[in-house]
Amino acid sequence: MRKIWIAFISVVVLSFIVLIWVGTEVYQTQPPIPEKVIVKETGEILYTIEDIQIGQNVWESIGGMEVGSIWGHGSYVAPDWTADWIHKEAVFMLETWAHSDFQTNYEALDVENKAALKARLIKDIKTNTFDKKERTITISETRLAAIESNIKHYSSIFSEGKEEYAIPKGALVDKDKLQKLNAFLFWTSWAASTNRPNEEYTYTSNWPHEPLIDNNITKNSLIWSGLSIVLLLLFIGILTFYYLRNHEKGELLTKPESDPLKNLKFTRSQKAVLKYFIVISLLIGLQVVLGILTVHYTVEGQAFFGFELSSYFPYSIIRTWHTQLAVFWIAATWLATGLFLAPMISGKEMKYQVFGINFLFVALIVIVFGSMLGEWLGVHQFLSLTMNFFFGHQGYEYMDLGRFWQILLAIGLVLWVVMVSRHVIHGIRKNDASKHLLIILLASVIAIGMFFFSGLMYGENSSLPVINYWRWWLVHLWVEGFFEVFASVVIAFIFSRLKIISPSTAGRVSVASASIFLAGGIIGTLHHLYYSGTPVQAIALGATFSALEVVPLTLMGYEIRENWNLLKSRSWMQLYKWPIFFFIAVALWNFIGAGVFGFLINPPIALYYIQGLNTTSVHAHTALFGVYGMLGMGFILISLRFYSDRKWADTKLKRAFWLLNIGLVAMSVFSLLPIGIIQAYTSITKGYSFARDSDLLYSPIVQILKWSRIIGDTIFSLGIFYFCWFTINETLYNLKRKK
């Protein structure tokens, strides 16, 4: 066991050393924000650093990543503003020169003249004119004219609205804010189209793909993509060999003839947790309703079957609430499970535990609905930019809530860590066979509380590369990393209490599994940052180590088989049929959603062309709900099963389970994936901006595919209805019980 712990500690320490080192490189080599943008021929000052920074705050206040995307990060309905700006700027400049030099359109020119103008464009756009001493950028008069054309175009979109982009009229009408928003959009496009000093690729490693300025995939992206695939195959083989040799070496147990937890006595604090499950069920239902509205905006940009919904709840708000509630209810489920299991771990009821549970419950409601109200006020421009940062909409996907609400949530997590940890520490002090299992559980609990603070590591005026770096610490490390370790250890603890696996074996397997997962998962955080103004190290390390994240998922077939065999081993195990079924679904979707669809967009060569397309949405839905959502539901069911004194009727849960899984498959296969494939082909053959253009997204075939999603969404929604119906009904029954 000592060797396994040494391996675990080594993996964590060395991985964070690498991740932090790349972070320092991000800070030092990020695209510079100039003090001034100057027109070369006239000396006119177009923008200042304040214009760009305030413009970023304006962009955040209107919804940020929930209104189109920047550098590929964000929502899918409106364009990627960076790619769109670059393409429009390039077309304008080529047309200007074609008319002035040849008195005709660019497309009417012969090959030689086209090539000459394109070379002129590339020199103008890609030459880095940033002066380190003066901290200025110079642009040509022709580029100024292109920028002014773009300013007029985007100002019209945000002030007058555009149905195809689901942007309502009056989204932003303040002329000064519009001017500064355009300054920020210009800077993001400058960084994505200007070469790094002494390099032949841009600050975003030539993302987006734009043939007009020779923004093509770099050699580094190709090399590290190939190596990541080789390493994936190599380590799949190694891990499979190791697994087959060692998975049967655990301590043999005689499976009990009856439920070991049948006579388990429940505490006041466990009963206090039950009300969480009612609120969580309501949040699940609300999130699905918002998801339906979000999808409908893609086919009827401003309305819901004729009703002008965008006047009250624009797309940016609906999508914000949809994605944010997913994180809220899933995290709340796991946190509630930790509170529910805590007395089982320690074997006692701790002082003030009930008070803490009730306090966190109120705090959860305040944070959820307070942040939602703040986001609505922020997007509707009722808050100043600074007030918006603290109480409104931060503008970053999955962490949109204002800083004030983030801090409240962080304080709540610290309290949760204290409440759960003291039970776990008490269990560790018993020094029995479950010691190592509880130590890794304690580590994951502390990590959950600690790593949420990574979302507080940037400020109101931090640059986009820095914000994205810390954002993915939160989204990837907190949610996908340590929550997953916590979940796997909790499942191992539950199975050990059911005497399906010995505590010592559960501890050894949990620590070893966490080591394998985090070996790829910590440094693998960088795969989100390939083209976010980060150095090439992000591509090299992100591609290499994130490929290793997929390796453990290849063994999910064995996990599914073993969980299935559990149900057949003893008749009393049928009591736990539906929680185990949901755990089986987690294993399946972990392989498909996180593994197959995750690796589909993971290598740099793939992400270069399909980042921010519907292929990303396939991964997001099948991994976020398929894995974390199903796992949260499994935790609710196992907690209710421990507490309930009655046999469950299968009907509601059977319908819920199969409708949820069939619906998730249908929405992916019939809609999201085919749209993503069409977009990917367009991005590869014509350029990224065309893949996000409304001409493609509102073409007849894509519209048919969008509408066909109603099949999967309807099936899925019915599954949610049955699950929530069962959960609320069973929870109310148990709350009314006297014992």
Side-chain angles (χ1 to χ4, degrees), residues 24 85 87 124 149 166 224 314 351 355 362 374 482 521 523 668 673 713 737:
T24 62
W85 181 293
H87 184 73
D124 192 309
S149 175
W224 292 108
K351 196 174 182 181
F355 172 81
V362 174
F482 294 105
I523 301 177
S668 301
L673 186 58
D713 285 5
R737 285 170 51 203

Side-chain angles (χ1 to χ4, degrees), residues 619-689:
H619 169 59
H621 283 81
T622 55
L624 183 58
F625 183 86
V627 179
Y628 301 106
M630 290 283 191
L631 189 54
M633 290 177 163
F635 281 153
I636 290 175
L637 293 178
I638 199 74
S639 298
L640 288 174
R641 182 65 273 170
F642 285 154
Y643 199 93
S644 183
D645 66 348
R646 63 179 180 177
K647 186 178 180 180
W648 289 350
D650 276 359
T651 306
K652 293 187 188 72
L653 283 178
K654 182 178 182 180
R655 290 174 181 173
F657 178 82
W658 289 112
L659 288 171
L660 286 171
N661 284 281
I662 293 170
L664 198 54
V665 170
M667 74 169 69
S668 301
V669 173
F670 296 149
S671 181
L672 293 174
L673 186 58
I675 293 174
I677 292 171
I678 292 170
Q679 287 182 294
Y681 177 80
T682 305
S683 176
I684 294 168
T685 56
K686 298 180 67 177
Y688 185 84
S689 63

Side-chain angles (χ1 to χ4, degrees), residues 692-705:
R692 294 285 298 274
D693 191 82
S694 57
D695 287 344
L696 175 68
L697 294 178
Y698 283 86
S699 62
I701 182 64
V702 173
Q703 283 292 84
I704 290 172
L705 290 170

Side-chain angles (χ1 to χ4, degrees), residues 10-264:
S10 299
V11 163
V12 172
V13 171
L14 293 174
S15 295
F16 274 109
I17 288 173
V18 173
L19 187 60
I20 292 170
W21 169 68
V22 175
T24 62
E25 292 293 305
V26 170
Y27 275 85
Q28 293 171 5
T29 65
Q30 61 182 300
I33 301 178
E35 293 290 337
K36 297 176 183 177
V37 178
I38 301 172
V39 180
K40 182 178 180 180
E41 292 85 351
T42 65
E44 174 190 352
I45 298 174
L46 177 62
Y47 293 127
T48 65
I49 186 171
E50 290 79 13
D51 293 331
I52 296 169
Q53 289 177 332
I54 294 173
Q56 180 174 323
N57 298 148
V58 173
W59 169 73
E60 292 163 355
S61 75
I62 62 173
M65 289 181 179
E66 308 296 352
V67 187
S69 59
I70 295 287
W71 295 346
H73 294 276
S75 60
Y76 316 116
V77 178
D80 181 273
W81 305 113
T82 304
D84 198 56
W85 181 293
I86 290 172
H87 184 73
K88 283 181 167 54
E89 191 176 79
V91 169
F92 184 95
M93 294 174 73
L94 288 172
E95 290 295 337
T96 298
W97 290 330
H99 282 280
S100 63
D101 293 359
F102 304 103
Q103 294 75 51
T104 188
N105 297 326
Y106 175 74
E107 288 301 325
L109 297 175
D110 56 33
V111 174
E112 290 80 3
N113 288 328
K114 274 187 177 180
L117 292 187
K118 182 179 175 181
R120 184 176 171 184
L121 173 71
I122 291 169
K123 183 178 180 180
D124 192 309
I125 294 288
K126 304 203 85 168
T127 299
N128 194 328
T129 60
F130 178 71
D131 186 315
K132 286 186 178 180
K133 184 178 180 181
E134 300 294 330
R135 297 198 63 79
T136 60
I137 291 172
T138 56
I139 60 171
S140 66
E141 283 191 304
T142 305
R143 191 170 189 181
L144 172 63
I147 292 169
E148 288 174 340
S149 175
N150 278 359
I151 291 172
K152 183 178 179 181
H153 173 73
Y154 293 114
S155 296
S156 173
I157 287 175
F158 288 104
S159 61
E160 299 299 322
K162 185 161 184 175
E163 184 175 353
E164 292 85 353
Y165 297 169
I167 296 176
K169 183 176 182 179
L172 190 65
V173 295
D174 185 293
K175 291 184 178 179
D176 184 60
K177 286 184 176 181
L178 284 168
Q179 178 71 8
K180 289 177 169 56
L181 171 62
N182 279 287
F184 172 66
L185 297 182
F186 159 76
W187 177 80
T188 68
S189 70
W190 175 85
S193 59
T194 298
N195 285 342
R196 284 182 177 269
N198 306 314
E199 299 291 353
E200 295 182 354
Y201 52 83
T202 69
Y203 287 99
T204 57
S205 292
N206 280 1
W207 192 94
H209 179 220
E210 178 50 72
L212 289 178
I213 62 169
D214 274 2
N215 253 19
N216 297 307
I217 192 165
T218 64
K219 295 175 183 177
N220 287 318
S221 293
L222 291 172
I223 291 169
W224 292 108
S225 295
L227 184 60
S228 71
I229 295 171
V230 172
L231 288 174
L232 172 66
L233 297 174
L234 172 64
F235 280 96
I236 284 175
I238 292 173
L239 185 62
T240 303
F241 175 75
Y242 175 83
Y243 178 86
L244 292 174
R245 286 201 59 179
N246 294 280
H247 82 289
E248 298 290 352
K249 293 184 179 180
E251 183 181 344
L252 294 176
L253 288 179
T254 301
K255 293 182 175 62
E257 295 296 331
S258 61
D259 184 358
L261 302 179
K262 182 178 181 180
N263 298 316
L264 195 65

